[in-house]
Amino acid sequence: MAPKEEVSGGAGQAASAPPPAAAGRSGRKMAAVLAGGSQRVVREAVRRSAVRPPASGCWGCAPGGKRYLLTEDDIKLQEFQQMKVAIRNEVHGNKDPYFKSIKEKLKKNGMILKNELKNLLHLCQTSSDVELARKVIYRYHEQNGISALHNFKFGPLFMRLCYELDLERPAVELIKDQNLRGFFSESTSFHILMTMLFKKGHFESALEVLVEMKKQGIPFNKETYLLAFAICYKLDNLESCKISAKLLEEAQLKGDTLPLRVFCFAVATALKQNDIAQAKFYCSQIMKTENKLYNNLKVLVQLRSGSLEEVIKTLKAAVEVDTPPFVKKIEFSEQVLATVREKMEENPDLSAKLGEVYTKLQASGRITVCTLEDMLFQIPSSKKTPAKLLHQKQLGCQAAKPLRSNLLLE
């Protein structure tokens, strides 16, 4: 039985990349966790992604574009920032006396109270503040252990702080530290960190955090799978494709509910690796077919399979369907259609049919400048805004440069 699909669908200084030796060691560990004992798979995923150039064109991010996976509902960054303002007002905008009292407690080995750590995390504004917070976290965990964490989860709070201040290094170090086992005891901490690493392009590190989450026995949920499949898509190699297959198999055995975008990422990853059979299989698992992203991927799968007549049928079906005014129309990417047109030129008959369908698609407003990657990372309308800082504006769908990508080529 295939995994159940969720109807609604899915959303400072950068740390330097780990040295090759570290990448190799982490690769072996990741392989054991995510690849069913194959010690080569994840190591190769990390190594090959590090040396291959980034994808361009239809599957590349438009210059200046943003890529979102989780929403504000998931990360709650704005809620955290609003609480920071409230707590800063309580100390009349002067955090120094409070920090001084905390440092005195550390020096005297005094007991760190829950509210003291909570307030400290909300008052941090710089990397040096976070360094103090680290020391207090270790002291708090040492004094209270896991039992105190049942009352309040500090893990997500610390991760939101690191996310806001753009400090992934302390976040990665603490979440992997065995001395803090139990402190990051829920999936949200790992999701926030993976999202931060993903946005910064540190896909190998994001995969390592995913593995750490599994090693610590944190259950995977739909957000975890979405992040995992997006990471594999970005790593873009045969080994990451295998990891996707392994994760999907695991979800199938558990009967987990998977978001629509998880399957779409799986299809895209398989297509980029020219694994047409696997792409067709993933496509067949998608139950909600009245979807823009699915239909664009379906056209590519049909095109790469050589089913040119089926491509025409899919495009015609979108034009002929009677869509009520309040229902969003199925749109096709201009770049996908350009690829179809190029392939159809080899057959004058089909080329003429495509010309007719293209005219109708254009007339009915069913052609979009969004690339497939734009669609993959587009926040579903059922969700709220993507996680962002209070002063940032949400970026909409951007037109991409008319370049080609490996996915669209045979």
Side-chain angles (χ1 to χ4, degrees), residues 191-210:
H191 292 166
I192 295 171
L193 179 52
M194 282 190 281
T195 300
M196 175 166 55
L197 293 168
F198 188 96
K199 284 179 66 177
K200 300 183 83 164
H202 301 331
F203 308 120
E204 302 90 346
S205 296
L207 183 60
E208 291 175 6
V209 172
L210 176 70

Side-chain angles (χ1 to χ4, degrees), residues 64-66 68 386 393-398:
K66 295 287 185 184
Y68 295 107
K393 295 181 180 179
Q394 182 179 357
L395 295 178
C397 191
Q398 300 189 30

